[in-house]
Amino acid sequence: MVKAYLGYGQGAVMGMIATSRGNAVFSSCGTFAYAPALEHIAVWHLRRAQLECLLSEEPRDLSTAQPLVTALLAFGPQRVAAGYSDGRVRIWDVDRRQCTLELHGHRAPVLWLALPPSGDPAFSSLGSPSSSASSHPLHLLSAGQDGQVVLWDVLAESGVCRLRGHTDSVNCAALWLSDASASDSTTLSSSASSSASSSSSFSSSSSSSSSSS
């Protein structure tokens, strides 16, 4: 028997609570906790102390490993943004258990996701049933292991700008209003001080990936 084990593949993972590759976050209502669980997002019901569901896309190729969840950000009513080890960013509707948007802009794992502050008009539309932006924020910030920071226009499903200049991974970034009286004036800060903005190509896709429970 020579390397007979190569004929076997992983069938399932049991008892998984969370993996250490990414961060865990709470929903805005305080009912759920979202945690990375390999390629899945584990949705935990805190009051019941049980697993509600696993959010993940259907694998397109069973012979290749699926990208891992490396960053999470909860916002709005049961919405969560997730960064993956292949550089993609997805926004999930937890209630429908569907991926509603997929953004492509990093060449390495996404390590951090951030939204504008609550004082930003782009953020204030979240959660408004009559607003076209009720399910998505207007802007999203992502930072990755490729040393780049990307500012996304989520409604347009495109990148606004890409910040380059870091010589290593960007582990944290923030976007805030630089002047409270000027709603269109924003400042972006990341873990290095020598970043320069430059135009670049981005891609996105609206998705209806199903979840597995």
Side-chain angles (χ1 to χ4, degrees):
M1 185 175 67
V2 180
K3 294 186 177 180
Y5 57 84
L6 294 178
Y8 297 88
Q10 176 180 309
V13 176
M14 295 177 289
M16 173 68 68
I17 297 176
T19 51
S20 60
R21 187 73 183 269
N23 60 305
V25 294
F26 294 99
S27 63
S28 59
C29 61
T31 303
F32 301 102
Y34 308 125
L38 299 177
E39 69 270 25
H40 310 286
I41 302 172
V43 181
W44 292 92
H45 196 292
L46 298 177
R47 186 169 299 176
R48 299 172 187 167
Q50 67 181 23
L51 182 65
E52 189 78 6
C53 66
L54 292 172
L55 303 176
S56 63
E57 67 171 1
E58 293 293 336
R60 301 173 183 175
D61 186 359
L62 296 177
S63 63
T64 59
Q66 300 302 306
L68 305 178
V69 178
T70 54
L72 290 174
L73 174 68
F75 62 91
Q78 296 195 37
R79 299 292 193 276
V80 60
Y84 291 81
S85 59
D86 62 354
R88 285 182 287 181
V89 175
R90 296 191 184 104
I91 294 180
W92 291 87
D93 183 324
V94 179
D95 188 40
R96 293 188 297 164
R97 303 183 184 181
Q98 286 186 338
C99 174
T100 57
L101 182 64
E102 184 174 287
L103 303 169
H104 303 258
H106 290 278
R107 296 173 295 180
V110 177
L111 302 180
W112 190 263
L113 296 168
L115 288 174
S118 57
D120 190 337
F123 188 84
S124 61
S125 62
L126 280 174
S128 173
S130 60
S131 171
S132 61
S134 60
S135 61
H136 290 153
L138 296 186
H139 295 96
L140 179 68
L141 194 68
S142 63
Q145 193 172 315
D146 54 1
Q148 300 182 14
V149 178
V150 179
L151 177 63
W152 299 96
D153 184 330
V154 178
L155 294 185
E157 301 183 7
S158 63
V160 176
C161 67
R162 182 190 303 273
L163 302 181
R164 292 190 174 99
H166 300 82
T167 58
D168 206 340
S169 303
V170 180
N171 300 312
C172 182
L175 180 68
W176 72 90
L177 293 175
S178 59
D179 186 351
S181 63
S183 60
D184 60 344
S185 177
T186 59
T187 302
L188 188 146
S189 175
S190 60
S191 60
S193 59
S194 58
S195 300
S197 62
S198 61
S199 60
S200 183
S201 60
F202 305 90
S203 64
S204 65
S205 61
S206 297
S207 174
S208 60
S209 301
S210 60
S211 65
S212 59
S213 57

